[in-house]
Amino acid sequence: MRPRDRRLRTVLTTLVAWSALAGAAFVGAAPATGAQSTRTVAPGIRYSQFDIPAAYGTAHAHLVTVDLRDPHVRVDLLYPGAVAARATVSRLAGPHGAVAGINGDFFDITETQHPGVEATGSSDGPAIAGGHELKAAVPNGQRFGPALPPGADTQDVLGVGTDRRARLDRLSLSGSVRTPYGRLTLLGLNQYALPVGSIGAYTSDWGTASRMRAVCGTDTDRAAPCSTDTYEVTVRKGRVVATAARPGGGPVAAGTTVLVGREAGARHLRTLYRGEAIQVRQRLVAASSGIPYRFAIGGFPLLRGGVPSAGLDDRTSAVRTAVGIEDGGRRLLLLALDGAAAYRHGLTLAELAATLRRLGATDGFNLDGGGSTTLVTRLEGESAVTVRNHPSGGVERAVANGIGVFSAS
């Protein structure tokens, strides 16, 4: 047994022992002695489950450990082929060949505050899949999900670089629109909400959903009315080919960029006419890493350097999804709580951070929870992925994205 496996067994056994002391029976495939339940998914990938005693009762955890030192193992973004779309984790993982996966970022799930505007299903934060930059972050005040801890931002990501190491970082958009009249700043890329007064770019990665949601709400109030001062410009092969007074919908062709402006951004776009030369450039810039990312997903930090983030909620308990980073970014811990009735109280964010730290993580990252929390695996000898936890809504929820674990062995 590897030293790392012995350490994980010790930690899981300790967690189970705490459960026994709390009077909670260990649920799952573990023997009655209380040893952890651990099975092999593929070389370098293991699935475990165990109980966690918590302030509001016992929670049940499902854990996938991923050894990124194994050259046959990789992680990447699971998404439905478009930023503005949703699918269940099992449907995202299975057809793409993932042997394990969990749900990902918080997302635009409902637009009841904007009658007539459809929810896009798009995620809050930045996203990178296979080294391709899909989208940037919405303004903090536009995000879905629980209140951010102090210092957290929608630009926060968990990523894996080309060096095959996982890390926490922050990805901001650097972009511009060069026109015959000067250069305009680009403040959006395939995101469901644009900053007030800005211009955003939408590419074929966006999908078919209406872009109208992009001009609704403000930087501090997601429910604020939609702007009436808007404009849209379609650019193909470096030339303006169409304009419109309001954001449209439908697919964006490959090689085409649709620019959406609101308020001051709309007024700038109105100066552009068909046939004029336009150059649009955008990239995501990392705050702390000079290593390009192969994969990145949004959420918010729980742990940094073994220290819990300041101001984590220690009162609201819920079903949660999180990721831990250990061994200098060479290992990932994908954690999903069970939503069965007996465990639905879950953990607070403070308890979640403490759990990741006890499992050996030095850094931790919170993802969407509640009815979205889902963990799937395809164990050795199985032909399809199976949902291992009980989603709290009774069935899998369609989500914007997730983290997929892949094995080439």
Side-chain angles (χ1 to χ4, degrees):
M1 181 183 294
R2 296 179 181 178
R4 170 56 181 74
D5 293 335
R6 285 196 295 270
R7 181 157 59 89
L8 178 61
R9 172 169 290 183
T10 299
V11 172
L12 293 181
T13 302
T14 301
L15 286 169
V16 173
W18 290 340
S19 298
L21 290 172
F26 184 70
V27 178
T33 58
Q36 81 280 2
S37 167
T38 300
R39 297 181 64 183
T40 298
V41 176
I45 307 167
R46 299 186 185 281
Y47 163 62
S48 307
Q49 54 178 313
F50 51 92
D51 281 349
I52 305 170
Y56 296 96
T58 301
H60 191 66
H62 301 260
L63 177 73
V64 171
T65 61
V66 183
D67 187 353
L68 294 175
R69 294 174 299 186
D70 189 322
H72 300 103
V73 174
R74 66 180 177 89
V75 297
D76 207 343
L77 190 77
L78 296 175
Y79 75 108
V83 166
R86 296 166 58 189
T88 62
V89 176
S90 59
R91 289 183 64 87
L92 293 174
H96 290 90
V99 296
I102 59 171
N103 65 289
D105 197 1
F106 301 89
F107 59 94
D108 174 22
I109 191 171
T110 178
E111 288 299 330
T112 55
Q113 64 271 47
H114 300 122
V117 176
E118 66 174 297
T120 65
S122 175
S123 61
D124 289 353
I128 297 176
H132 177 61
E133 298 175 352
L134 292 173
K135 69 177 298 291
V138 301
N140 284 342
Q142 289 269 18
R143 66 181 295 276
F144 283 78
L148 289 170
D153 191 277
T154 54
Q155 296 178 351
D156 285 315
V157 296
L158 165 79
V160 175
T162 54
D163 59 352
R164 295 181 55 81
R165 291 197 180 197
R167 54 181 60 87
L168 302 186
D169 208 337
R170 187 167 286 183
L171 294 177
S172 60
L173 179 66
S174 175
S176 64
V177 181
R178 181 172 292 180
T179 79
Y181 318 106
R183 181 177 296 180
L184 305 174
T185 301
L186 192 69
L187 293 180
L189 172 63
N190 292 328
Q191 56 201 59
Y192 68 79
L194 295 175
V196 172
S198 72
I199 298 171
Y202 294 80
T203 69
S204 58
D205 291 323
W206 171 251
T208 62
S210 169
R211 296 176 289 276
M212 186 64 200
R213 176 59 184 84
V215 300
C216 298
T218 68
D219 299 353
T220 57
D221 183 4
R222 190 181 72 208
C226 301
S227 175
T228 57
D229 187 4
T230 65
Y231 204 69
E232 184 171 275
V233 170
T234 301
V235 179
R236 184 177 303 122
K237 296 181 179 179
R239 298 280 176 178
V240 175
V241 297
T243 62
R246 295 180 68 76
V252 178
T256 298
T257 299
V258 176
L259 300 174
V260 175
R262 55 178 299 178
E263 297 90 30
R267 293 191 286 275
H268 285 304
L269 292 184
R270 288 192 191 99
T271 66
L272 305 179
Y273 296 92
R274 290 190 182 191
E276 288 187 317
I278 301 293
Q279 187 176 65
V280 182
R281 291 182 176 176
Q282 72 276 328
R283 65 188 180 96
L284 296 177
V285 179
S288 61
S289 175
I291 306 296
Y293 284 102
R294 295 291 298 168
F295 150 75
I297 194 168
F300 60 83
L302 295 167
L303 282 173
R304 287 187 186 274
V307 178
S309 299
L312 289 179
D313 183 3
D314 60 359
R315 295 188 177 186
T316 305
S317 191
V319 176
R320 313 264 184 197
T321 308
V323 182
I325 300 173
E326 62 174 329
D327 292 350
R330 296 179 181 89
R331 290 184 185 271
L332 283 177
L333 308 174
L334 309 184
L335 180 72
L337 298 184
D338 204 286
Y343 306 109
R344 199 166 295 162
H345 34 69
L347 299 174
T348 67
L349 289 175
E351 289 172 330
L352 185 62
T355 297
L356 291 175
R357 186 167 57 176
R358 290 180 187 121
L359 288 169
T362 55
D363 298 288
F365 200 67
N366 186 64
L367 298 171
D368 191 10
S372 297
T373 292
T374 310
L375 183 145
V376 303
T377 66
R378 188 183 78 209
L379 300 177
E380 286 184 326
E382 296 178 344
S383 59
V385 296
T386 298
V387 178
R388 299 298 171 181
N389 68 316
H390 296 86
S392 60
V395 295
E396 278 192 84
R397 173 185 287 171
V399 296
N401 55 31
I403 301 174
V405 184
F406 300 83
S407 172
S409 61

